[in-house]
Amino acid sequence: MDRTMTQGILLAFLAYLAYAVSDASVKLLEGSISAYEAVFFGAVSGMVAIPWVKRPGERYRDIFRAKNRIMWGVRAGAAATGSLGSVVAFTHLSMAEAFCLLFLMPTFVTILSVVFLQEQVGWRRWGAVLLGFAGVLVVLRPGFRELNIGHVGAVVGGLSGAITVVTLRAFGQTEKRISLYGAGLIGPILATGLLMLPGFVWPSPLQWLWILGYGLLAATGNILVMLASARIPASLVAPAQYSQMIWAILFGYLVFEDHLEPIMAVGVAIILFSGVLTFKRERVRRPKGWSRVPPVHPQ
């Protein structure tokens, strides 16, 4: 393995560590401010990454412009719902359980790719889809435990991420990078900026610490992913996302005193195996847009 590839892989793992700490920052808020405020200020903080995203020849006004406006709008809307869903999930669930459901994204990508991209999916990938949903049933155990809004938020977050992946596969090659990144910020800023107004409360200094940790670390993760992608193929960057589950379990034990029940651990393992199986099959078949956006995608 040459030095450049080693650097790329290391940057990828550092990126997903930054994302995991960002999510832990949300959990440390403990729902003390509304999810709308957390997402709004987090998205505003994410604008610090724009100079690193901007490619030569791109202009800052391109943040608001796209060749395909419908695609831009879908990307913006999915970013808003995905961010809100993730914040709600990490507020109400343990980090491991939240990540577990968010990692349903590859399963949703397969389904949406069949519906909207007319992809041909073989029995192995359909098997991975069924395996993923089986893992969810093991984790949630409907009828045996109480479910809450955090579970809904996690599923919405995973589905929104899948919509982003499928949208970028279909249209990402023709759009400017700053436009795609900008849509992921403008959508949450506009949507949550309006929704937070009726109950707005100015954050305390400690809340600002966690809010800025959430936004700035997510922006740092985005920058690190781009640096990693400049050194290694996206197909090698994507699997590093599963390292977030390791951080989730560690943070759960060390910071939040969460304990992973044996039955939930089984469900987590099933869902992760489903995602890895999907990734391996797509790596073999390489569906439309796969080289640009593999089935596991940065936040």
Side-chain angles (χ1 to χ4, degrees):
M1 184 181 297
D2 61 32
R3 183 177 178 180
T4 300
M5 181 168 290
T6 300
Q7 289 176 344
I9 292 174
L10 178 60
L11 287 168
F13 279 100
L14 287 175
Y16 290 110
L17 170 58
Y19 285 137
V21 178
S22 169
D23 295 326
S25 298
V26 169
K27 191 165 182 61
L28 285 166
L29 283 168
E30 298 179 331
S32 56
I33 64 170
S34 73
Y36 302 135
E37 283 190 51
V39 172
F40 174 81
F41 288 118
V44 170
S45 301
M47 296 180 73
V48 301
I50 290 177
W52 283 271
V53 174
K54 181 175 174 292
R55 286 174 171 168
E58 296 182 346
R59 301 180 180 181
Y60 285 107
R61 65 170 179 261
D62 292 330
I63 292 173
F64 306 95
R65 302 170 64 181
K67 295 179 180 178
N68 189 309
R69 294 182 180 180
I70 294 177
M71 180 282 306
W72 192 96
V74 171
R75 163 77 172 120
T81 57
S83 298
L84 276 173
S86 296
V87 167
V88 170
F90 287 111
T91 299
H92 295 276
L93 303 176
S94 69
M95 288 193 69
E97 188 170 8
F99 273 126
C100 176
L101 296 176
L102 287 167
F103 280 154
L104 274 175
M105 181 167 57
T107 297
F108 290 137
V109 167
T110 297
I111 296 172
L112 294 178
S113 294
V114 171
V115 175
F116 295 104
L117 302 182
Q118 306 298 312
E119 280 187 13
Q120 298 298 315
V121 174
W123 66 270
R124 293 181 181 85
R125 282 173 66 193
W126 280 125
V129 168
L130 294 176
L131 192 62
F133 284 121
V136 170
L137 292 177
V138 173
V139 170
L140 297 184
R141 285 164 284 158
F144 294 92
R145 59 176 296 206
E146 183 180 352
L147 303 182
N148 61 50
I149 191 173
H151 297 99
V152 177
V155 173
V156 169
L159 179 59
S160 298
I163 291 172
T164 295
V165 170
V166 172
T167 301
L168 294 182
R169 282 185 175 182
F171 304 105
Q173 193 174 25
T174 61
E175 299 293 340
K176 295 180 179 179
R177 186 164 70 180
I178 195 172
S179 175
L180 296 172
Y181 183 78
L185 296 178
I186 301 303
I189 288 173
L190 292 180
T192 59
L194 292 173
L195 291 170
M196 76 176 184
L197 290 178
F200 179 78
V201 176
W202 191 256
S204 68
L206 183 60
Q207 289 170 335
W208 273 120
L209 176 64
W210 304 136
I211 290 171
L212 292 176
Y214 163 55
L216 294 177
L217 284 168
T220 300
N222 289 330
I223 293 170
L224 290 172
V225 164
M226 286 183 288
L227 291 175
S229 299
R231 290 164 172 78
I232 57 177
S235 59
L236 292 181
V237 176
Q241 183 163 14
Y242 288 109
S243 66
Q244 288 179 299
M245 183 57 71
I246 298 174
W247 295 116
I249 294 172
L250 287 175
F251 292 156
Y253 274 108
L254 300 177
V255 181
F256 303 108
E257 299 182 354
D258 293 327
H259 299 284
L260 191 64
E261 300 174 8
I263 186 67
M264 187 180 295
V266 172
V268 168
I270 293 173
I271 292 176
L272 292 181
F273 179 72
S274 167
V276 171
L277 183 60
T278 298
F279 177 81
K280 286 185 174 296
R281 290 309 305 166
E282 291 211 348
R283 190 172 184 178
V284 171
R285 296 177 62 87
R286 290 185 174 270
K288 180 179 180 180
W290 190 90
S291 60
R292 298 188 305 277
V293 190
V296 182
H297 190 65
Q299 299 179 352

